[in-house]
């Protein structure tokens, strides 16, 4: 892993990597890291999804990477351009935490983390892409990194240390 | 922007006074910075998305809703506990329930004085929720305060102030992220035409 080129994925951002490069996004809280991997051409994709649905967006120039329902098709398109085939893709998910819990219903109704996870799953289901691993929920932040060479997803958190999906 | 900076200045001044009273020594503060900050850069203000911080979070409810964070580095949080309640925390040890409760209360007092001076100034009804507390990556924590902005664009308006005790051993950051439609209310209450 030492020589690996790491491509950064920002918040509400997405990117694609091949040629042994890795993709990393840091500090996922209620956001979901949606990752795809094509094991034949060894291409990986990652989106840092912030919100479940673009339908209520007032964003003038819609940022597709921000929403679960638009991030997946966009990521798919970008991966297909570099040789990935939709039928071969496998998905791994991480994030979707509930960082704070409140007794106040007004603050709690957001429950955005779990809703993000659900929306990502629904989008994947719609495109018939299997989810082969996930590390979602909880109340802690995660940093994730996917290797395009192996499809391995590494998840790191402050409380629980590192693990591999 | 100047109006928001002044609002932040008055709020932060009261919060600094409250902290100073708690610690029994002078607390300095920066002039608040008011900026429209891209999401990705917000965590950079406190050392990057992965920097581990202790955070007290309050949702502001009422006429001008928003999110209020009080962030401390782990070292600052430990120093604060030591000076304030003589709690010595173990190296690398997580905070105990009692320490979490003490830190939440400190955050609550600071946020409370910040908000009440804002409410006085604007004559708006602003009430804080019970504070939430987390020790985690700054990116994961601050993202929570950006969700209301998510549907508007990729930037959030941030009113940010730093506090220092006289010996630079405690440094804290107060972030106020008003909801997108709260500005108009704040401006209107101060008799300022919206920009």
């Amino acid at each position: 892993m030492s020589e690996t080129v790491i491509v950064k994925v920002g918040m509400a951002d997405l990117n694609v990597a091949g040629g042994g490069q890795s993709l990393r996004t840091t500090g996922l809280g209620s956001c979901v890291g949606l990752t795809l991997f094509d094991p034949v051409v060894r291409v990986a994709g990652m989106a840092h999804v912030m919100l479940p649905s673009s339908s209520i967006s007032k964003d003038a120039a819609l940022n597709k990477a921000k929403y679960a329902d638009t991030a997946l098709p966009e990521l798919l398109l970008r991966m297909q351009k570099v040789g990935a085939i939709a039928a071969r893709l496998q998905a791994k998910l991480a994030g979707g935490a509930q960082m704070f819990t409140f007794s106040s219903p007004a603050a709690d109704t957001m429950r955005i983390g779990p809703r993000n996870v659900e929306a990502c799953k629904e989008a994947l289901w719609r495109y018939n892409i299997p989810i082969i691993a996930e590390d979602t929920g909880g109340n802690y932040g995660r940093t994730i990194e996917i290797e395009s060479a192996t499809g391995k997803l590494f998840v790191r958190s402050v409380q629980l240390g590192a693990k591999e999906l | 922007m100047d109006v928001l900076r002044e609002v932040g200045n008055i709020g932060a001044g009261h919060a600094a006074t409250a902290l100073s009273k708690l610690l029994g020594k002078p607390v300095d503060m920066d002039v608040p910075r008011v900026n429209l900050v891209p999401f990705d850069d917000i965590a950079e203000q406190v050392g990057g998305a992965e920097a581990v911080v202790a955070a007290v979070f309050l949702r502001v409810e009422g006429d001008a809703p928003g999110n209020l964070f009080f962030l401390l580095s782990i070292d600052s949080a430990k120093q604060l506990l030591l000076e304030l309640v003589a709690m010595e925390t173990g190296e690398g040890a997580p905070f105990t329930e009692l320490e979490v409760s003490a830190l939440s209360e400190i955050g609550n007092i600071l946020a409370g004085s910040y908000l009440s001076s804002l409410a006085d100034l604007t004559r708006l009804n602003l009430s804080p929720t019970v504070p939430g507390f987390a020790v985690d990556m700054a990116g994961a924590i601050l993202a929570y305060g950006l969700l209301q902005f998510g549907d508007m664009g990729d930037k959030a308006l941030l009113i940010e102030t730093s506090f220092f005790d006289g010996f630079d051993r405690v440094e804290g950051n107060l972030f106020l992220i008003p909801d997108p439609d709260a500005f108009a209310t704040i401006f209107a209450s101060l008799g300022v035409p919206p920009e």
Side-chain angles (χ1 to χ4, degrees), chain B residues 3-21 27-34 68-70 109-119 121 159-164 172-176:
Chain B
V3 173
L4 291 174
R5 187 172 298 122
E6 192 48 32
V7 167
N9 205 9
I10 291 166
H14 282 80
T17 308
L19 184 58
S20 166
K21 276 187 187 153
V27 171
D28 297 330
M29 56 172 261
D30 283 347
V31 175
R33 290 172 290 280
V34 179
L68 192 58
F69 292 92
F70 181 59
I109 291 168
L110 295 188
S113 56
Y114 186 96
L115 273 187
S116 68
S117 63
L118 241 59
L121 185 71
I159 304 174
E160 185 210 355
T161 313
S162 306
F163 299 99
F164 312 89
N173 291 283
L174 200 59
F175 289 75
L176 175 64

Side-chain angles (χ1 to χ4, degrees), chain B residues 58-66 111-112 115-116 119 124-130:
Chain B
L58 301 103
R59 174 83 185 142
V60 180
E61 293 172 345
D63 297 332
L115 273 187
S116 68
L124 292 172
N125 168 30
L126 302 172
S127 55
T129 60
V130 172

Side-chain angles (χ1 to χ4, degrees), chain B residues 23 25-28 164-170:
Chain B
L23 289 170
K25 61 180 177 183
V27 171
D28 297 330
F164 312 89
D165 74 350
F167 307 97
D168 290 342
R169 284 195 301 232
V170 177

Side-chain angles (χ1 to χ4, degrees), chain A residues 12-163:
Chain A
D13 183 18
L14 60 78
N15 221 325
V16 171
Q21 293 184 344
S22 288
L23 292 161
R24 176 195 285 166
T25 196
T26 51
L28 281 170
S30 56
C31 300
V32 171
L34 168 62
T35 71
L36 298 177
F37 177 61
D38 181 331
V40 176
V41 291
R42 299 192 180 279
V43 166
M46 180 187 284
H48 184 135
V49 172
M50 193 176 173
L51 294 164
S53 165
S54 62
S55 63
I56 53 161
S57 171
K58 299 171 197 118
D59 203 340
L62 183 75
N63 174 359
K64 289 181 178 163
K66 194 189 292 178
Y67 306 94
D69 62 336
T70 49
L72 180 64
E74 179 67 15
L75 192 57
L76 209 53
L77 212 63
R78 294 271 299 271
M79 290 181 73
Q80 283 165 337
K81 275 186 191 158
V82 289
I85 306 256
R88 290 198 299 243
L89 293 179
Q90 301 166 340
K92 293 180 181 178
L93 299 176
Q98 180 85 345
M99 295 301 293
F100 298 95
T101 44
F102 296 98
S103 45
S104 152
D108 221 27
T109 42
M110 290 175 60
R111 289 183 39 79
I112 201 83
R115 280 171 51 206
N116 277 335
V117 175
E118 279 311 306
C120 284
K121 286 183 177 173
E122 197 187 307
L124 288 164
W125 177 80
R126 208 177 304 137
Y127 284 85
N128 224 353
I129 299 171
I131 299 167
I132 60 164
E134 73 173 292
D135 177 37
T136 57
N139 63 347
Y140 51 89
R142 297 165 170 91
T143 282
I144 63 167
E145 189 175 317
I146 186 167
E147 292 181 349
S148 70
T150 61
K152 283 180 187 169
L153 183 68
F154 299 93
V155 181
R156 200 148 41 82
S157 69
V158 173
Q159 293 165 24
L160 304 178
K163 65 164 134 175

